[in-house]
Amino acid sequence: MLGTELPNMFTRKCSRIWHSSRHRPLLRSSFYGLVLLIALYTLYHLVPRSTTDFFSDFLNAEADASPEIWNERAEQVKQAFVHAYHGYERYASPNDELKPISRGKINNFNGWGVTVFDSLDTIYLLGLNDEFERALTVVKQTNFSISVGNDGFAPYFETVIRYLGGLLSAYALSKDHMLLERAEDLAVVLDPIFDTPSGMPFYSVNPTTGEHRGPEIGILAEISSLQMEYTYLAKVTGRKQYFQRADAVSKTLARAKLRDTGGMFPIQWNLTSGEPIGYRLSVGAQADSAHEYLLKQYLLTAKTDKTSLEMYLRATTHIITNLMYISPTRHLAYVTDSATSTFWELGEPTHIFEHLSCFLPGMLALGAHTLPLDNLDEAGINFRNLGDQATFGYAAKGFKTLRNYNLTEIHLWAAESLAQTCWLTYADQPSGLGPDEIMMKTIHHDSPPENYLWIKAIEKWRKSGARGPVPGVADRRPVVYSERERLSGKGVGRDYVLRKPGYLLRPETLESFYILWRVTGDSKWRTRAWAIFEAIERETKTPSGYASLRSVEMSPAPKEDSMPSYFLAETLKYLYLMLSGKDPLPLNEWVFNTEAHPFPVFEWSEEEKKAFEMSNT
Ligand code: DMJ
């Protein structure tokens, strides 16, 4: 009896309550509320995230924030800079960097106060006059002829991008001549580094003795990320020798035999012969800024350095057609390295995606914005000839593929899809900050890696009528694993594992958001930047500064006692420029070096061209 009576009694009781006028309004609204919640939950989990993304709806709503709110946010970034810089001044100046947990200091870049030099132009842009005056005093007093640490040897690449870049950029903005004099003082003590037949610099130099150090095999990023600084130095001092330093490196790159690497520069180079070695290709560590400087040197010289543009087009064609992949589950676009050429013509992809590579979306977007990619005749370039098979081997294939596309469009798609992935690596973490390195779980046991290339997905999408979003470009829902899922390894839905879980206060993702925001006007990039800033405030702030994180996988995140100078030079600068309503550095008038130091675009006069013997222009 109980089996049938009870349910009936229950149903009758419910019906009575439902129809009783006393309970009706409350009950009905709760019921409909519940139904709505269930519907929303189902929609959230079943509908493809590309079309309905609640997270991005939230972000879009945020994007409608008023200009006052954005200015207030920019002000908060300024205060973050002040907090970091004052902490450095108080506990570490004039040493290189602050240790933000122990309130200690470290001399890791010559002991000349790298944080001061790297921060100069940001301080100026933020209008921090007192801090600027104090920084000038440090700059004036620095003795560049003695380097502290590393046995007295100054690492060339870091010294150029941080110190020389900071000085020149602050000079360009403030016109304080002392800054230019100090930039030249520095260039003079560094100069013995160029004692190679190829004109490519050694790894380090002793500024006291002029002795240089480093293997005969140089690393791409370290030997060819100086063209902007030295060309600008030549321009403002009128001294030819600085231009020749930059020009020698560009000419060696342009002469190199790149048949085996399909027109792309590998990581290793012989400094004597000026020839590339091996097949290791990357846009991340050890390679990044060398590719970046091809575009930026062309832009800085008011689009006169055509050779740099040709090399840029070869590099980007290779990257887009051979190094960009798409993940199987969430269809995340990523760029990876290729390790050797034994397995496959193009080299075995590692499927590692580095935070450092997140500068690439910004570079591609900047190129798409500033170059006549679909009218290259205008720049005196025949796109087809750039991939000549006899000289550049399998590059020909990539050029053939891209000829069928609107080049501006495909560069922008590549930029947007990579930036989406960079963003998700942040949004996927409980800390809201991105790991230094991930590895995509792309499995290709039974089919060649080629099948997972991003360009293949684009081809397929186009063949099937280009319906739906461009592969990789759509917004996706973040997948945040709970502590239990993380520890048990049972989390599902992500298509990568973390290889280096730390967040080192790096700028690359924000740098790309900044350029995408300027180029596309899509406020989602700005809104995401704000979300990242909030995470920086929450997770990395200490009483004396901001600290790198050992892992992004938990909140609160465990900290590391380090505040690299690029956090002030780049990360906070890009944030501020993006959030504030003003644009003091329009992309067609200023070009950022790889450490975010802006240099003004300039034209060479005919006399300068002659005086500098510029065969290139
Ligand atoms: C910066 O020092 C520069 O951007 C460099 O080119 C590589 N990345 C670091 C910060 O991550």
Side-chain angles (χ1 to χ4, degrees):
M1 182 202 123
L2 271 182
T4 52
E5 266 308 291
L6 267 182
N8 286 343
M9 278 166 60
F10 179 72
T11 320
R12 277 199 300 275
K13 180 121 181 127
C14 286
S15 155
R16 229 176 297 127
I17 297 174
W18 180 253
H19 290 102
S20 101
S21 54
R22 187 154 56 94
H23 297 297
R24 196 180 297 155
L26 180 68
L27 252 181
R28 291 210 166 160
S29 50
S30 316
F31 175 75
Y32 292 129
L34 192 68
V35 170
L36 188 69
L37 270 179
I38 292 171
L40 282 175
Y41 179 84
T42 316
L43 206 66
Y44 184 69
H45 285 276
L46 295 185
V47 172
R49 309 318 306 163
S50 53
T51 48
T52 310
D53 189 336
F54 289 90
F55 196 69
S56 67
D57 286 352
F58 160 74
L59 289 174
N60 288 338
E62 267 290 284
D64 291 336
S66 68
E68 292 73 35
I69 292 180
W70 284 112
N71 284 334
E72 165 54 26
R73 290 172 176 177
E75 181 56 32
Q76 287 188 48
V77 175
K78 180 173 171 179
Q79 289 318 317
F81 181 93
V82 169
H83 176 70
Y85 194 73
H86 284 181
Y88 162 77
E89 278 189 315
R90 177 153 185 211
Y91 300 109
S93 177
N95 298 277
D96 281 338
E97 288 177 350
L98 167 75
K99 288 175 152 237
I101 298 175
S102 60
R103 296 181 178 172
K105 51 194 173 251
I106 179 170
N107 281 317
N108 43 353
F109 294 107
N110 311 325
W112 299 332
V114 73
T115 301
V116 177
F117 287 77
D118 225 2
S119 299
L120 283 169
D121 52 311
T122 316
I123 295 175
Y124 188 86
L125 285 163
L126 293 176
L128 299 168
N129 300 337
D130 294 345
E131 285 76 1
F132 196 65
E133 285 308 314
R134 294 200 293 272
L136 290 182
T137 310
V138 175
V139 171
K140 231 181 271 170
Q141 289 166 356
T142 302
N143 180 0
F144 289 136
S145 50
I146 298 174
S147 168
V148 178
N150 297 316
D151 249 358
F153 281 75
Y156 179 73
F157 165 71
E158 298 290 356
T159 304
V160 167
I161 65 168
R162 299 190 195 213
Y163 283 98
L164 195 58
L167 285 167
L168 289 171
S169 179
Y171 165 72
L173 291 165
S174 71
K175 289 288 172 296
D176 184 325
H177 219 261
M178 185 273 292
L179 292 163
L180 181 58
E181 282 161 22
R182 299 290 12 230
E184 228 192 325
D185 292 343
L186 179 57
V188 168
V189 298
L190 295 177
D191 208 60
I193 197 108
F194 292 103
D195 185 18
T196 58
S198 65
M200 288 170 153
F202 279 110
Y203 174 72
S204 64
V205 63
N206 184 322
T208 317
T209 62
E211 204 185 332
H212 47 71
R213 258 192 200 168
E216 195 189 11
I217 307 303
I219 296 300
L220 181 63
E222 293 172 355
I223 58 178
S224 53
S225 308
L226 56 104
Q227 299 89 323
M228 290 180 67
E229 291 80 359
Y230 278 67
T231 309
Y232 183 61
L233 184 60
K235 171 77 187 170
V236 288
T237 58
R239 288 197 229 296
K240 176 177 164 179
Q241 70 258 35
Y242 301 124
F243 172 71
Q244 286 171 331
R245 293 303 184 206
D247 197 40
V249 170
S250 296
K251 287 208 168 98
T252 301
L253 291 175
R255 260 196 314 264
K257 294 187 191 82
L258 300 172
R259 201 173 185 287
D260 293 344
T261 53
M264 180 144 173
F265 301 142
I267 287 178
Q268 295 185 314
W269 290 69
N270 183 307
L271 302 181
T272 306
S273 67
E275 281 302 329
I277 298 175
Y279 307 94
R280 276 187 57 222
L281 304 180
S282 175
V283 291
Q286 305 192 320
D288 43 11
S289 44
H291 305 301
E292 179 185 352
Y293 273 30
L294 300 175
L295 171 66
K296 293 189 168 178
Q297 176 74 352
Y298 180 70
L299 298 179
L300 183 68
T301 57
K303 307 188 180 177
T304 51
D305 184 350
K306 195 178 125 197
T307 310
S308 289
L309 176 59
E310 288 175 344
M311 293 190 281
Y312 175 74
L313 292 169
R314 252 182 232 114
T316 47
T317 300
H318 191 287
I319 293 164
I320 291 172
T321 58
N322 295 312
L323 293 182
M324 274 186 69
Y325 287 80
I326 190 147
S327 74
T329 349
R330 279 198 289 172
H331 309 294
L332 307 181
Y334 60 100
V335 62
T336 195
D337 308 348
S338 62
T340 66
S341 75
T342 50
F343 174 77
W344 185 43
E345 185 198 19
L346 311 179
E348 171 81 357
T350 63
H351 297 296
I352 290 170
F353 183 42
E354 299 168 69
H355 192 290
L356 285 171
S357 302
C358 283
F359 85 97
L360 183 65
M363 182 186 87
L364 291 169
L366 180 65
H369 181 63
T370 52
L371 301 175
L373 285 177
D374 290 294
N375 194 8
L376 284 167
D377 303 352
E378 203 181 276
I381 286 175
N382 181 333
F383 187 66
R384 186 184 298 236
N385 292 350
L386 291 179
D388 163 50
Q389 183 154 16
T391 322
F392 298 106
Y394 66 82
K397 245 201 233 165
F399 277 89
K400 201 167 156 213
T401 308
L402 291 198
R403 272 210 320 263
N404 301 322
Y405 288 86
N406 174 306
L407 221 51
T408 308
E409 196 167 64
I410 199 130
H411 276 232
L412 257 183
W413 289 343
E416 288 183 278
S417 60
L418 288 169
Q420 288 286 9
T421 308
C422 294
W423 160 243
L424 280 175
T425 65
Y426 279 62
D428 281 353
Q429 314 307 327
S431 65
L433 293 166
D436 209 43
E437 212 172 277
I438 60 173
M439 188 189 248
M440 287 290 178
K441 293 193 260 180
T442 302
I443 297 157
H444 47 78
H445 293 315
D446 42 6
S447 58
E450 197 177 335
N451 290 346
Y452 299 86
L453 284 169
W454 177 75
I455 196 73
K456 291 264 169 180
I458 295 281
E459 301 260 68
K460 219 162 130 196
W461 166 79
R462 236 178 38 161
K463 270 190 199 129
S464 63
R467 274 193 301 273
V470 179
V473 166
D475 289 344
R476 305 259 154 208
R477 186 165 57 90
V479 176
V480 185
Y481 289 161
S482 67
E483 185 70 354
R484 199 155 51 92
E485 284 172 324
R486 185 176 70 78
L487 293 175
S488 66
K490 288 204 178 123
V492 282
R494 274 208 208 149
D495 15 25
Y496 60 83
V497 290
L498 271 56
R499 264 176 60 100
K500 291 187 184 167
Y503 170 64
L504 310 185
L505 297 171
R506 287 196 195 277
E508 292 78 15
T509 295
L510 289 163
E511 168 183 350
S512 285
F513 287 7
Y514 171 65
I515 296 171
L516 278 162
W517 151 241
R518 289 266 178 254
V519 167
T520 66
D522 188 338
S523 49
K524 78 179 172 203
W525 302 114
R526 197 190 201 196
T527 309
R528 289 170 180 184
W530 173 245
I532 293 175
F533 177 70
E534 286 189 304
I536 289 176
E537 281 291 291
R538 187 178 60 243
E539 304 289 341
T540 76
K541 196 167 185 173
T542 72
S544 63
Y546 291 83
S548 298
L549 301 181
R550 272 188 284 123
S551 171
V552 293
E553 290 189 283
M554 55 203 88
S555 177
K559 297 187 178 72
E560 188 143 12
D561 203 6
S562 152
M563 184 177 82
S565 68
Y566 58 67
F567 176 64
L568 294 99
E570 303 190 67
T571 312
L572 292 176
K573 183 189 286 138
Y574 284 124
L575 270 165
Y576 180 78
L577 290 173
M578 202 171 348
L579 303 184
S580 103
K582 300 186 198 105
D583 180 9
L585 304 167
L587 292 178
N588 52 354
E589 290 171 31
W590 293 83
V591 190
F592 293 88
N593 89 336
T594 190
E595 189 79 0
H597 299 304
F599 298 163
V601 169
F602 57 83
E603 307 251 7
W604 297 105
S605 67
E606 284 310 313
E607 298 78 67
E608 279 168 331
K609 280 189 194 169
K610 236 181 272 152
F612 288 3
E613 293 157 18
M614 296 170 66
S615 53
N616 207 356
T617 55

